[in-house]
Amino acid sequence: MYFTIVAVTMLVLGIVVLDAFSKPIETEKGVSAANKACQSLEKTFPTACSEQFADDVEHWTVSSEQNATCSIEPRSASDVSTIMQLIGRTDIRAPFAVKSGGHAYNFGHSSTPGVQISLSRLNDLVYDGAQGTVTIGMGLTWDQVYERLEPLGVMVAGGRINGVGVGGLSLGGGYSWKTNQYGLTIDTIVAHEVVLPSGQHVNTTNTSHPDLFFALKGGLNNFGIVTKITYEAHSQSLVYGGSLTYSLDVIDRVNSAVGNFSQNNTDPKAQMIVSYNSISNQFIATVFPFYDGPTPPAGIFDPFLAIPSVASDVTTRTFVDFMATFGKGDLGIGSFGIAQHVIPVEQYTLSLLDEMVAQVIAFGTRLTEQNNGSKVIVSVSPEPFLNPFSHSRGGAYPHSSSRQVTPASPFIAYQTDPNLPLASQAARHASFASEIKQFSYTIQARAVLEGLSRWDDILYPNALADTPLELLYGSNLERCKMLAARYDPEKIMSLAGGFQIES
């Protein structure tokens, strides 16, 4: 067990600092509870390692970070149980957060001014060849998982970019490079090991605690702390893929090829992510084609390869080498904040893709001018899956095969100074969150007009923090509330942030 306690120097007791969307993040009572919890944890787990605090609280983006009162790194489910029982004591009830990889988009979803629980030491990985499964600790990121699985000749249906934690994606839904073939990540889960808010250890499967098994497949951090998950494993050969970068002058041809792929591809091994970006008012489009095999059939990606590109890195390679195409998440603008949302879309027509490009350019031009030289990235990524819900096995995240929507991903990234007062950071973030909301609305309005989206379509949980729970869970919400009341009657998980389901 590693533990660190630090002084809270950025906060004044009694002053309420507001996040752009969520409830107050700090009160005198909250500080007192956090200090008491940290002191008790230090006594319970006396082994200290002061240098890991910065890693424990660090997140992918500055706008997701907070300066915790203390951090702790449990080594086992038993440690997690002790921590949960201490934090949830009636005389403490301290704010806390659980961090897997730190790739949360929203402030407070895996960060806290209280007790930061980092799962980084829960990093075991066990492959069971006889059962065809892999059991993974929640402290790993997906690129780390792939590096360890590749020598074994197998893979799992995990995250599509490097740096994403196993825990968050597996509890939210999980679109992968295998989704066309095997479903979302949650559709490939065999079992969870979870510590309930009471501290009780539970192993869930489709037959053991099936209601909790359902809840954890999309229920995020509402039902306890998941310490490891067992997934189906699939054999892995060489793959074909990489990146193709295009300038604005060929965007008509790019959009035509993307629209054709979205509407006509029938090969489940073929997928892609398309990214339209305005970077400091300079437009580029990047296509990431992927084929789950060494050689794609003729014609699938040929239209893209025929378009003159600024840069090309498409070849036959290992899966890990393909993942390296995405780097480690550095946007190249220094410290940054990000406002992210979701646009549910069934398919991508040429006219919808043209609208996306037009809005990227329009918002990119205006926001670059308004921010006086501070770098701004406006982006949206069409994700043309092939019936991504056809392998659905249910779960709290609604993904019925009767409504096959894909999560187009819009975001605005902006340069920011992590040393600014928290209130200043929150105000700056709020302005960009308002912009991404309008950006997303404009594009979805076009999709709705074309019959490719509905205003009541379920949103993937990469959505903005003020998204109504009804748009995240739909008709599953009432069942989730019932299960939250059963498994967390004392509402311990309400002390953590995120999309909170309360009875």
Side-chain angles (χ1 to χ4, degrees):
M1 174 74 64
Y2 282 78
F3 178 82
T4 306
I5 185 165
V6 299
V8 181
T9 59
M10 298 172 61
L11 303 168
V12 178
L13 297 184
I15 302 298
V16 176
V17 182
L18 296 179
D19 171 38
F21 306 112
S22 57
K23 63 187 181 182
I25 62 169
E26 195 57 87
T27 63
E28 184 172 356
K29 182 179 179 181
V31 170
S32 176
N35 284 333
K36 189 172 184 179
C38 290
Q39 291 164 6
S40 296
L41 286 169
E42 189 175 26
K43 292 178 182 178
T44 306
F45 302 104
T47 304
C49 182
S50 61
E51 59 267 17
Q52 103 280 356
F53 176 81
D55 292 336
D56 291 348
V57 301
E58 182 181 20
H59 281 64
W60 174 59
T61 168
V62 170
S63 56
S64 297
E65 290 182 359
Q66 296 186 71
N67 189 35
T69 304
C70 65
S71 70
I72 191 163
E73 298 180 354
R75 288 183 176 273
S76 66
S78 178
D79 285 349
V80 173
S81 175
T82 301
I83 294 166
M84 288 298 290
Q85 291 178 70
L86 193 152
I87 286 174
R89 268 173 32 189
T90 55
D91 63 323
I92 295 182
R93 294 188 64 86
F96 73 97
V98 184
K99 174 189 164 187
S100 175
H103 211 274
Y105 291 103
N106 288 316
F107 182 85
H109 280 211
S110 61
S111 64
T112 179
V115 179
Q116 180 73 64
I117 302 172
S118 169
L119 303 182
S120 59
R121 297 190 181 272
L122 302 181
N123 55 15
D124 288 343
L125 184 151
V126 178
Y127 171 54
D128 186 333
Q131 296 296 321
T133 61
V134 180
T135 300
I136 304 172
M138 296 297 97
L140 292 171
T141 57
W142 286 109
D143 46 312
Q144 293 171 332
V145 169
Y146 300 148
E147 288 169 0
R148 290 165 71 169
L149 288 179
E150 188 159 87
L152 305 176
V154 298
M155 282 294 162
V156 291
R160 289 176 293 165
I161 59 175
N162 291 332
V164 174
V166 170
L169 182 130
S170 299
L171 295 175
Y175 288 84
S176 86
W177 291 110
K178 310 282 187 175
T179 286
N180 286 352
Q181 301 174 75
Y182 306 115
L184 304 186
T185 300
I186 58 174
D187 298 319
T188 69
I189 291 176
V190 176
H192 308 87
E193 178 186 81
V194 59
V195 176
L196 298 180
S198 65
Q200 179 187 358
H201 298 199
V202 172
N203 292 301
T204 78
T205 68
N206 203 35
T207 56
S208 175
H209 302 282
D211 276 351
L212 186 56
F213 185 66
F214 164 89
L216 293 174
K217 296 197 297 180
L220 301 168
N221 64 343
N222 283 286
F223 300 95
I225 298 179
V226 174
T227 53
K228 62 184 178 183
I229 296 178
T230 301
Y231 306 82
E232 296 173 350
H234 309 286
S235 61
Q236 185 63 62
S237 66
L238 293 175
V239 303
Y240 178 88
S243 63
L244 294 159
T245 303
Y246 304 100
S247 57
L248 183 59
D249 61 327
V250 296
I251 198 63
D252 290 346
R253 294 176 64 182
V254 173
N255 285 355
S256 178
V258 174
N260 179 67
F261 180 87
S262 175
Q263 297 173 69
N264 298 312
N265 174 52
T266 59
D267 190 333
K269 292 186 176 184
Q271 291 186 197
M272 69 173 55
I273 295 176
V274 182
S275 183
Y276 300 132
N277 307 283
S278 172
I279 305 172
S280 297
N281 205 21
Q282 297 296 311
F283 181 89
I284 62 167
T286 304
V287 176
F288 299 93
F290 172 81
Y291 192 80
D292 195 12
T295 307
I300 289 183
F301 300 132
D302 292 354
F304 296 93
L305 297 172
I307 302 171
S309 60
V310 175
S312 175
D313 178 27
V314 179
T315 187
T316 299
R317 62 214 312 172
T318 66
F319 187 82
V320 168
D321 188 49
F322 168 73
M323 289 296 298
T325 304
F326 298 92
K328 292 290 186 180
D330 181 5
L331 299 184
I333 60 173
S335 297
F336 66 93
I338 195 165
Q340 166 108 6
H341 201 39
V342 181
I343 305 170
V345 177
E346 283 189 292
Q347 286 188 330
Y348 299 90
T349 61
L350 178 59
S351 54
L352 178 59
L353 296 168
D354 286 344
E355 181 70 20
M356 288 180 169
V357 171
Q359 294 305 323
V360 166
I361 293 172
F363 274 74
T365 299
R366 179 171 57 79
L367 292 176
T368 297
E369 292 174 352
Q370 290 177 355
N371 280 272
N372 301 319
S374 178
K375 293 181 181 178
V376 176
I377 299 174
V378 179
S379 178
V380 64
S381 293
E383 302 182 13
F385 288 95
L386 175 63
N387 298 324
F389 300 161
S390 59
H391 301 277
S392 176
R393 295 177 180 172
Y397 174 60
H399 57 297
S400 168
S401 59
S402 65
R403 182 67 180 168
Q404 305 264 3
V405 294
T406 71
S409 302
F411 74 81
I412 298 174
Y414 55 92
Q415 282 185 312
T416 190
D417 182 354
N419 297 314
L420 286 173
L422 193 58
S424 298
Q425 292 188 48
R428 181 162 166 77
H429 182 80
S431 67
F432 285 106
S434 177
E435 294 286 357
I436 199 61
K437 189 175 292 188
Q438 183 59 46
F439 178 80
S440 303
Y441 176 87
T442 303
I443 294 173
Q444 189 174 0
R446 178 71 193 202
V448 170
L449 181 65
E450 295 189 27
L452 303 172
S453 182
R454 298 197 308 236
W455 292 116
D456 63 348
D457 272 331
I458 296 298
L459 299 184
Y460 190 67
N462 282 347
L464 284 165
D466 63 344
T467 299
L469 291 178
E470 289 78 9
L471 285 178
L472 297 173
Y473 296 106
S475 60
N476 287 342
L477 181 57
E478 290 307 310
R479 182 181 178 186
C480 289
K481 287 182 177 180
M482 178 192 71
L483 293 172
R486 179 190 305 173
Y487 289 103
D488 188 17
E490 301 301 320
K491 299 185 178 181
I492 304 300
M493 299 312 296
S494 70
L495 299 170
F499 293 114
Q500 295 185 352
I501 299 172
E502 297 185 35
S503 60

